[in-house]
Amino acid sequence: MITYLTRRLLLLIPVFVAVSVVIFLILHLIPGDPLDNLLRVGSSPEKRAEMSARYGLDRPLVVQYGIWLGNLLQGDLGTSIASRRPVASLIGQALPHSLLLGALALAFSTLAGVALGVAAAIWRDRWADRLIMGGVLLGSTLPSFWMGLLFILAFSVQLGWFPVSGARGWESLVLPVLTIGLGGTALVARVARVAMIDAAERDFVLLLHAKGMPPGRIRLNHVLRHAMIPVVTILSLRIGWILGGAVTVEYVFARPGLGTTLIKALSQHDYPVVQACLLMLAMAVMLGTLLGDVVQALMDPRVRREAA
Amino acid sequence: MLLNLRRWMLAAGLGVASLGLTGPAAAQETTFVFATSEVGVSSYNPIPATLTNAAFSMIYDTLVVQDSDLSYHPSLAESWEEAPDGMAWTFHLKPGVTFHNGRPFNAATVVKWIDLFRGSENSYMIDAVASVEAVDDLTVRFVMKNPDPNLLFNLSSSFMGIPDPEAVAELGEDFGITEAIGTGPFKLESFTQGQETVLVRNDDYTWGSPLSANKGPAHIARITFREIAEDSTAYLELKSGGVDALMSIPTDYLGEIKAEPELAVAEMPGQEVFYMAINVAKDPFTDLKVRQAAALAINQKEILDNVFGGYGKEAHNFLISALPESKLPADADISYDPAKAAALLDEAGWVLGADGVRAKDGQRLSVALWTQSDSIFRRLTEVVQAELKAVGIEAKITTFDSSTIKDEFKSGNQQLAVRSYFWPNADIVDWFFSAERLGYPNTSMFNDPKAEELRVKAMTGSATQEERIANFTAYHEYVTRQFPYAPIYQPVQNMAYNIDRIEMPAEIHATQITGVVMVDVKVKE
C-alpha cells in the first residue's frame, strides 16, 4: 500500500508541471491585457510602460513562466494585478467558502442519491422508478446557472423560504447546495440503483430469502451494504470536482468563493489570480482522484493486492 | 406518513422564512446593491484605487462636487478662485470639519494628502500641479506647472475623496480595508471584499454641500451595500424584498421594473455613449465619403425606440449632451440620412449591385463589423448591420469578449466596431482619437495633423474653463467632420428602488448616487 501511495504521489509531480504549463500558456496566449482595465482615461503611454515593467509583463513569456513557477514552488502565489493584494490572501479568503459549499453539496448528493437510487431499485420498472430516474436525469442535465435562477424564482421570490443570494447564515446555503448537488445526485442515484438491482440478484441473497430472513432486513443489512462499493467509488472520484461545480453557482448566488474570484479575475485578465484559482481547481481534481483510487484500493481486496 | 411529512416541511419552511426574511426592522436601516460595474473594489483607499464604488463618496468628501448638469459646487472647499492666467487656484476651506476619528480637516491636511497622491496610480490627475501650499489654516493654494481648467473635474472625482493622511500613514496597507477615515456623511463599519460594505451615519456631519437639501447628518443610520455581479440575481433580490434598491439596472429590465407596483426607477443623466468606430486607415474607409455614408446610415431614432425601448437619447456626436463641448454647429452633428449616404457612395464610385450590395472595380463593399459578446451589444450590432445593408454596405459581424476585443484592436485590423464608453468629460475625445494611442484606445486609427494641433491646444493650451470649452468644442467638431466614428445612442443611468421602503429626493443633484444624494434619502418605516 505504501509503495502504491508513494508511486501515485510521485506521478503527481509531472502532472502538476504539465498542468502549470497549460494554465500559464492558455492564459497568456488568449488575447487581452490586464493593463487595459487598469489604465483610465487620461493616463499616458509612459504610465503604461511603467506599469508593464512593474508587473513583469514586458518580459519574454518563458521568463515570466519561470519566475511564476519559481515563486510558486516557494509557496508564493504572487500579487494580484488588479487589486495589488497578495494572491494567497485572496485565495485564503475564498477557498473556505467554496470548500464548505462543495462539501455540503457532496453530502447532499450522497444522501439524496442513495435514497432515490434505493427507492428506484425497490420499485424497479414501476412508475415510481421511472419518475425518480426521469426527474433525476432532467435535474442533472439542466445547466446549473439556469437551475439556480429557477430555484431562486420558486423558493425565494414565490415562496419566500430562502434568501435570494448572499452568504449570511445557513439558510443562504440551501439553494446553492441544492443547485450544485443535483448533478451528483443523479450520478449517485443511477449507480446506487444499478448496484442494488445487481446485488439483489446475487446467490447469497437468494440464500437469505431461502433461510426466511425478512425482505426488509435483507435489503438493509446485506444488499445495500454490498451495493455501496460502487457508490463509494463514484463519490470519492467526485471529491475532486467539488470546487469546479461551485464556480457558476457562486456567481449566480453572489456568494464569495473561488468561483466568484476566478470570474472577476478572468474579466480583468488578472493573470496571477486566475492562475492560482485554476491551479487550486486542478489540484483538487488531482488529489480527489488520488483519494478516490486509494479508497477503492482499501475497500476492494483485489485492487489492494494488485497495488501492492 | 405523507401528511406528517408535509406538515413537517411546512413547519420547516415557515421556520426558514421567519429566519431569512427578518428584514431590517430597526430604524433607518437599509440594504442597497452596488452597480454591477462597481463590483470588486479591493480597498476603500482612494489614493491607489483603480476602481471605486458609490460608498467612496459617502465615506470621503471632495473639495468640490458636480451637479447633474456637470456644474461645480462647494463641498469641503467653500469657495475658490482661479488666477487669470490659470497658473494658481486658491481654495477656501469650510471651517469646523473633522475626520471620523476626530482629527480636524484643514489646509495642512490638503497639503499632506496631495503629497500622498504623487507617485500613486492616480497621480496623473494632478500632473499639472507644481505644488500645494497652506496660505493659512483654512486657505490652500495650488500652484500650477501649466494651466489645467480640468482641475475641478479631477478634484470632484471619487478618486480625489480626501482621507485622513495621518491615518493612511499609520495603517498602511490596511487603510481602506480594516478602517477608512474620511470626513463624509457615513463611516465605514465593515468591509467584506466581494460581499458587502456596511456604513453607519456620521452623527457629527454638519457640512453638507449646497446640492443636498439636508446639510446635517444623514437620515439613514445604517446602510449595507451588497455586491452582486449577476443582473438577474440582483433584480430578484429587489423583487423579493431582500434588498431595497439597485444602484444600476440594465435597460432590458426597465419594462419589468416599471410594471411592478412597489418598484420605481430614478433616472439620472447618462454618462455613456454608444458609437461605431470607423477605422480610417483601412479600405474602404480611407475614403472620407465612404466613412460619412456609413455614419449617415445609422438610424439613431430607430435604435433608440426598438433596441432600447425609448429609454435614453439619440447621440449625434461623440460627447454626452450634458457637456457644453457637445454643442456643435447643427451641420456638424451626424444624423440619419440614407439618401445622402447613397449619393455619397455613388459619388465615391460604389455602384449598387443586383444583390443589394455595392461594388467598385469588381470589389464588393463588404466589411468586418466587430462587437462585444454582451447581449446588448449583440442586439444593437445586428440592427446596425441591417441599417448598413440598407445603403448597400455588407457588414459581417465578429464577436469578441469585452477584454479580448481591446487586444484585437491593437492589431489595427478592425474596419467597423460597435463600442461604448462611460466618461463625463470632453477629454474622452483625446483618449479615443489621439495619435498617441493608435489601435487601442484609438480604435479608429485616427491620425490627422490638424486634429493633433487642435488636440494639444485643447489638452494643454487652455487657461480658463471657457477657453477649454471653446478649444475642446473646436477639436471635437473637427474630429466629427472627419467621420472616424458614427454616433448611435446615449443611455440614461437608472437606479431601481422599492417605494414601500425608500424615499428618494425629488431631484438628484449629482452625476451618480453619491453621498450628496444619500444624505437626503429616507427609509420609510
Side-chain angles (χ1 to χ4, degrees), chain A residues 257-270:
Chain A
L258 216 53
T260 339
T261 310
L262 175 63
I263 290 174
K264 183 74 196 166
L266 264 175
S267 72
Q268 295 172 323
H269 272 84
D270 195 342

Side-chain angles (χ1 to χ4, degrees), chain A residues 44 46, chain B residues 82-83 85-89 114-115 117-119 122-133 141-151 459-463:
Chain A
S44 61
E46 293 80 55
Chain B
E82 183 186 6
D85 61 356
M87 292 303 285
W89 291 75
I114 291 290
D115 267 349
F117 218 82
R118 286 200 195 283
N122 301 315
S123 59
Y124 69 89
M125 294 180 114
I126 48 160
D127 270 351
V129 179
S131 65
V132 180
E133 45 202 51
R141 183 158 61 221
F142 285 57
V143 179
M144 310 297 287
K145 288 180 207 157
N146 52 275
D148 183 10
N150 212 33
L151 183 66
M459 289 298 283
T460 54
S462 322

